[in-house]
Amino acid sequence: MNKKLLFAAMALGATVYACNPKPSSSSQNDTTQIAKDPVDTALVGAPNSSEFAAQAAIGGMTEVESSAKMIKRTENPEIQTMAVMMVKDHGAANAELKAIAKKEKLNLPQTLPQEKLQALADIESLSEEAQNLAYAELMVREHEEAVSLFSSAGQSEPNPALKAFASKHLPTLKAHLAHAQSVLKNLSGAAKKSGTGKSE
């Protein structure tokens, strides 16, 4: 009975954490609830292709994987909040894109290309403060590319399902970009103050 209560409490705790838009700033957040999706062989070997879908999938995976790692590493509440938002929103969009790909028989990348993996590895090698800044820069860069990609697809993508997907998620991407730019501005300002010997 005690074990059942313990498991129930643990499950409830994980659920509350997953729904909480602002994670605890206590030492090193738990990311066990963020499961890495297994490779879907049906999507790898599908007969049709879409450049937009492929680029959207890579962008979505980059944002989820980099953000999941930052939740674990950072103590900065702004970075934690942004990273949780990215995992939640892009995780849902990635799942939606996979469902469309299966229906349309589109092949979809299941792993990140080497240049994206290297970018994540480069961030990982930095000190925490430098990681925060590099991650914020990555989120601005990724979302600038995504807004451009989704804007174009929302106007000219020939596949109706993908065109609707692009139009649906464009406002969220624009909001993410604005959020990332704000976080980057704050971090850059703090770094400049720190560099001149001033303290917050």
Side-chain angles (χ1 to χ4, degrees):
M1 186 68 177
N2 288 338
K3 284 185 178 180
K4 287 182 179 179
L5 287 172
L6 177 61
F7 289 138
M10 288 171 67
L12 178 61
T15 302
V16 170
Y17 177 87
C19 296
N20 186 355
K22 188 170 184 179
S24 167
S25 60
S26 62
S27 180
Q28 303 310 298
N29 295 285
D30 179 26
T31 57
T32 55
Q33 79 280 6
I34 303 171
K36 190 173 176 64
D37 290 339
V39 172
D40 192 328
T41 53
L43 292 173
V44 174
N48 302 321
S49 63
S50 160
E51 182 64 22
F52 164 69
Q55 293 304 314
I58 290 170
M61 285 189 291
T62 301
E63 283 137 8
V64 168
E65 290 189 26
S66 61
S67 299
K69 289 180 178 181
M70 287 306 296
I71 293 170
K72 179 72 175 174
R73 295 194 185 104
T74 189
E75 295 287 342
N76 183 298
E78 273 196 301
I79 293 293
Q80 287 178 354
T81 298
M82 180 165 69
V84 168
M85 176 178 70
M86 296 303 175
V87 169
K88 177 178 176 291
D89 292 351
H90 285 286
N94 292 352
E96 188 177 334
L97 181 58
K98 283 185 178 182
I100 293 171
K102 284 186 177 181
K103 193 171 183 180
E104 300 291 320
K105 294 182 170 55
L106 297 170
N107 58 59
L108 211 60
Q110 297 291 288
T111 56
L112 290 176
Q114 185 56 41
E115 64 269 20
K116 297 290 187 181
L117 291 173
Q118 186 59 55
L120 300 193
D122 289 344
I123 293 175
E124 196 170 340
S125 68
L126 302 171
S127 65
E128 184 186 334
E129 187 175 340
Q131 276 191 36
N132 291 338
L133 191 59
Y135 168 70
E137 289 171 344
L138 177 68
M139 287 301 97
V140 169
R141 189 164 62 249
E142 286 290 324
H143 284 87
E144 285 174 343
E145 292 174 2
V147 166
S148 175
L149 178 69
F150 278 63
S151 295
S152 176
Q155 295 174 356
S156 58
E157 168 59 45
N159 184 300
L162 292 176
K163 185 175 184 178
F165 172 81
S167 297
K168 174 184 174 181
H169 289 282
L170 181 59
T172 300
L173 292 171
K174 287 181 176 179
H176 283 183
L177 175 58
H179 188 115
Q181 288 171 329
S182 176
V183 171
L184 179 58
K185 183 179 178 181
N186 291 343
L187 290 178
S188 298
K192 285 179 182 178
K193 286 184 179 181
S194 176
T196 58
K198 296 179 182 179
S199 58
E200 288 295 301

PDB file of all heavy atoms in Angstrom, residues 116-132:
ATOM      1  N   LYS A 116      23.892  20.112 -36.922  1.00  0.00           N
ATOM      2  CA  LYS A 116      23.053  20.454 -35.764  1.00  0.00           C
ATOM      3  C   LYS A 116      23.578  19.773 -34.500  1.00  0.00           C
ATOM      4  O   LYS A 116      23.612  20.372 -33.419  1.00  0.00           O
ATOM      5  CB  LYS A 116      21.606  20.020 -36.018  1.00  0.00           C
ATOM      6  CG  LYS A 116      20.928  20.727 -37.179  1.00  0.00           C
ATOM      7  CD  LYS A 116      20.652  22.178 -36.882  1.00  0.00           C
ATOM      8  CE  LYS A 116      19.826  22.824 -37.993  1.00  0.00           C
ATOM      9  NZ  LYS A 116      19.563  24.258 -37.744  1.00  0.00           N
ATOM     10  N   LEU A 117      23.983  18.521 -34.635  1.00  0.00           N
ATOM     11  CA  LEU A 117      24.561  17.803 -33.488  1.00  0.00           C
ATOM     12  C   LEU A 117      25.817  18.506 -32.988  1.00  0.00           C
ATOM     13  O   LEU A 117      26.049  18.616 -31.780  1.00  0.00           O
ATOM     14  CB  LEU A 117      24.889  16.359 -33.881  1.00  0.00           C
ATOM     15  CG  LEU A 117      23.697  15.441 -34.152  1.00  0.00           C
ATOM     16  CD1 LEU A 117      24.184  14.102 -34.702  1.00  0.00           C
ATOM     17  CD2 LEU A 117      22.872  15.221 -32.882  1.00  0.00           C
ATOM     18  N   GLN A 118      26.612  19.017 -33.927  1.00  0.00           N
ATOM     19  CA  GLN A 118      27.838  19.718 -33.550  1.00  0.00           C
ATOM     20  C   GLN A 118      27.513  21.019 -32.824  1.00  0.00           C
ATOM     21  O   GLN A 118      28.186  21.392 -31.852  1.00  0.00           O
ATOM     22  CB  GLN A 118      28.688  20.013 -34.786  1.00  0.00           C
ATOM     23  CG  GLN A 118      30.048  20.612 -34.477  1.00  0.00           C
ATOM     24  CD  GLN A 118      30.896  19.709 -33.601  1.00  0.00           C
ATOM     25  OE1 GLN A 118      31.123  18.552 -33.925  1.00  0.00           O
ATOM     26  NE2 GLN A 118      31.361  20.236 -32.463  1.00  0.00           N
ATOM     27  N   ALA A 119      26.479  21.719 -33.284  1.00  0.00           N
ATOM     28  CA  ALA A 119      26.071  22.969 -32.632  1.00  0.00           C
ATOM     29  C   ALA A 119      25.651  22.709 -31.185  1.00  0.00           C
ATOM     30  O   ALA A 119      25.994  23.488 -30.279  1.00  0.00           O
ATOM     31  CB  ALA A 119      24.927  23.619 -33.412  1.00  0.00           C
ATOM     32  N   LEU A 120      24.927  21.610 -30.961  1.00  0.00           N
ATOM     33  CA  LEU A 120      24.508  21.263 -29.600  1.00  0.00           C
ATOM     34  C   LEU A 120      25.702  20.856 -28.751  1.00  0.00           C
ATOM     35  O   LEU A 120      25.783  21.204 -27.568  1.00  0.00           O
ATOM     36  CB  LEU A 120      23.472  20.132 -29.630  1.00  0.00           C
ATOM     37  CG  LEU A 120      22.171  20.392 -30.390  1.00  0.00           C
ATOM     38  CD1 LEU A 120      21.143  19.310 -30.059  1.00  0.00           C
ATOM     39  CD2 LEU A 120      21.597  21.754 -30.083  1.00  0.00           C
ATOM     40  N   ALA A 121      26.639  20.134 -29.357  1.00  0.00           N
ATOM     41  CA  ALA A 121      27.849  19.720 -28.631  1.00  0.00           C
ATOM     42  C   ALA A 121      28.694  20.929 -28.255  1.00  0.00           C
ATOM     43  O   ALA A 121      29.284  20.974 -27.168  1.00  0.00           O
ATOM     44  CB  ALA A 121      28.663  18.752 -29.483  1.00  0.00           C
ATOM     45  N   ASP A 122      28.747  21.922 -29.136  1.00  0.00           N
ATOM     46  CA  ASP A 122      29.516  23.136 -28.858  1.00  0.00           C
ATOM     47  C   ASP A 122      28.947  23.869 -27.640  1.00  0.00           C
ATOM     48  O   ASP A 122      29.701  24.364 -26.792  1.00  0.00           O
ATOM     49  CB  ASP A 122      29.509  24.066 -30.069  1.00  0.00           C
ATOM     50  CG  ASP A 122      30.343  23.518 -31.229  1.00  0.00           C
ATOM     51  OD1 ASP A 122      31.155  22.598 -30.986  1.00  0.00           O
ATOM     52  OD2 ASP A 122      30.169  23.999 -32.360  1.00  0.00           O
ATOM     53  N   ILE A 123      27.620  23.943 -27.551  1.00  0.00           N
ATOM     54  CA  ILE A 123      26.978  24.589 -26.404  1.00  0.00           C
ATOM     55  C   ILE A 123      27.282  23.811 -25.129  1.00  0.00           C
ATOM     56  O   ILE A 123      27.587  24.385 -24.082  1.00  0.00           O
ATOM     57  CB  ILE A 123      25.455  24.708 -26.627  1.00  0.00           C
ATOM     58  CG1 ILE A 123      25.161  25.682 -27.773  1.00  0.00           C
ATOM     59  CG2 ILE A 123      24.746  25.158 -25.349  1.00  0.00           C
ATOM     60  CD1 ILE A 123      23.704  25.782 -28.151  1.00  0.00           C
ATOM     61  N   GLU A 124      27.222  22.498 -25.243  1.00  0.00           N
ATOM     62  CA  GLU A 124      27.413  21.626 -24.085  1.00  0.00           C
ATOM     63  C   GLU A 124      28.804  21.779 -23.468  1.00  0.00           C
ATOM     64  O   GLU A 124      28.995  21.558 -22.272  1.00  0.00           O
ATOM     65  CB  GLU A 124      27.194  20.172 -24.520  1.00  0.00           C
ATOM     66  CG  GLU A 124      26.992  19.189 -23.395  1.00  0.00           C
ATOM     67  CD  GLU A 124      26.544  17.828 -23.910  1.00  0.00           C
ATOM     68  OE1 GLU A 124      26.036  17.767 -25.046  1.00  0.00           O
ATOM     69  OE2 GLU A 124      26.706  16.856 -23.174  1.00  0.00           O
ATOM     70  N   SER A 125      29.765  22.171 -24.273  1.00  0.00           N
ATOM     71  CA  SER A 125      31.155  22.254 -23.793  1.00  0.00           C
ATOM     72  C   SER A 125      31.432  23.547 -23.020  1.00  0.00           C
ATOM     73  O   SER A 125      32.505  23.697 -22.436  1.00  0.00           O
ATOM     74  CB  SER A 125      32.116  22.160 -24.983  1.00  0.00           C
ATOM     75  OG  SER A 125      32.002  23.312 -25.810  1.00  0.00           O
ATOM     76  N   LEU A 126      30.488  24.478 -23.001  1.00  0.00           N
ATOM     77  CA  LEU A 126      30.707  25.784 -22.383  1.00  0.00           C
ATOM     78  C   LEU A 126      30.379  25.779 -20.894  1.00  0.00           C
ATOM     79  O   LEU A 126      29.722  24.871 -20.393  1.00  0.00           O
ATOM     80  CB  LEU A 126      29.837  26.834 -23.086  1.00  0.00           C
ATOM     81  CG  LEU A 126      30.057  27.007 -24.597  1.00  0.00           C
ATOM     82  CD1 LEU A 126      28.982  27.911 -25.174  1.00  0.00           C
ATOM     83  CD2 LEU A 126      31.440  27.560 -24.886  1.00  0.00           C
ATOM     84  N   SER A 127      30.811  26.828 -20.202  1.00  0.00           N
ATOM     85  CA  SER A 127      30.404  27.035 -18.809  1.00  0.00           C
ATOM     86  C   SER A 127      28.916  27.382 -18.784  1.00  0.00           C
ATOM     87  O   SER A 127      28.344  27.742 -19.815  1.00  0.00           O
ATOM     88  CB  SER A 127      31.196  28.179 -18.187  1.00  0.00           C
ATOM     89  OG  SER A 127      30.882  29.404 -18.849  1.00  0.00           O
ATOM     90  N   GLU A 128      28.276  27.301 -17.612  1.00  0.00           N
ATOM     91  CA  GLU A 128      26.821  27.499 -17.559  1.00  0.00           C
ATOM     92  C   GLU A 128      26.403  28.862 -18.077  1.00  0.00           C
ATOM     93  O   GLU A 128      25.465  28.970 -18.876  1.00  0.00           O
ATOM     94  CB  GLU A 128      26.295  27.317 -16.131  1.00  0.00           C
ATOM     95  CG  GLU A 128      24.775  27.419 -16.094  1.00  0.00           C
ATOM     96  CD  GLU A 128      24.181  27.389 -14.691  1.00  0.00           C
ATOM     97  OE1 GLU A 128      24.816  26.828 -13.791  1.00  0.00           O
ATOM     98  OE2 GLU A 128      23.089  27.940 -14.519  1.00  0.00           O
ATOM     99  N   GLU A 129      27.076  29.910 -17.677  1.00  0.00           N
ATOM    100  CA  GLU A 129      26.702  31.252 -18.125  1.00  0.00           C
ATOM    101  C   GLU A 129      26.843  31.384 -19.640  1.00  0.00           C
ATOM    102  O   GLU A 129      25.976  31.956 -20.313  1.00  0.00           O
ATOM    103  CB  GLU A 129      27.571  32.304 -17.414  1.00  0.00           C
ATOM    104  CG  GLU A 129      27.120  33.735 -17.706  1.00  0.00           C
ATOM    105  CD  GLU A 129      27.913  34.767 -16.909  1.00  0.00           C
ATOM    106  OE1 GLU A 129      28.515  34.405 -15.884  1.00  0.00           O
ATOM    107  OE2 GLU A 129      27.923  35.934 -17.342  1.00  0.00           O
ATOM    108  N   ALA A 130      27.933  30.851 -20.175  1.00  0.00           N
ATOM    109  CA  ALA A 130      28.141  30.890 -21.619  1.00  0.00           C
ATOM    110  C   ALA A 130      27.134  29.997 -22.343  1.00  0.00           C
ATOM    111  O   ALA A 130      26.684  30.321 -23.448  1.00  0.00           O
ATOM    112  CB  ALA A 130      29.569  30.454 -21.956  1.00  0.00           C
ATOM    113  N   GLN A 131      26.767  28.882 -21.737  1.00  0.00           N
ATOM    114  CA  GLN A 131      25.737  27.996 -22.310  1.00  0.00           C
ATOM    115  C   GLN A 131      24.405  28.732 -22.425  1.00  0.00           C
ATOM    116  O   GLN A 131      23.719  28.624 -23.443  1.00  0.00           O
ATOM    117  CB  GLN A 131      25.544  26.762 -21.425  1.00  0.00           C
ATOM    118  CG  GLN A 131      26.515  25.635 -21.680  1.00  0.00           C
ATOM    119  CD  GLN A 131      26.105  24.365 -20.956  1.00  0.00           C
ATOM    120  OE1 GLN A 131      24.921  24.065 -20.838  1.00  0.00           O
ATOM    121  NE2 GLN A 131      27.087  23.607 -20.476  1.00  0.00           N
ATOM    122  N   ASN A 132      24.036  29.446 -21.377  1.00  0.00           N
ATOM    123  CA  ASN A 132      22.772  30.191 -21.394  1.00  0.00           C
ATOM    124  C   ASN A 132      22.725  31.157 -22.574  1.00  0.00           C
ATOM    125  O   ASN A 132      21.725  31.231 -23.303  1.00  0.00           O
ATOM    126  CB  ASN A 132      22.600  30.967 -20.088  1.00  0.00           C
ATOM    127  CG  ASN A 132      22.364  30.060 -18.892  1.00  0.00           C
ATOM    128  OD1 ASN A 132      21.938  28.924 -19.038  1.00  0.00           O
ATOM    129  ND2 ASN A 132      22.657  30.564 -17.706  1.00  0.00           N
TER     130      ASN A 132
END
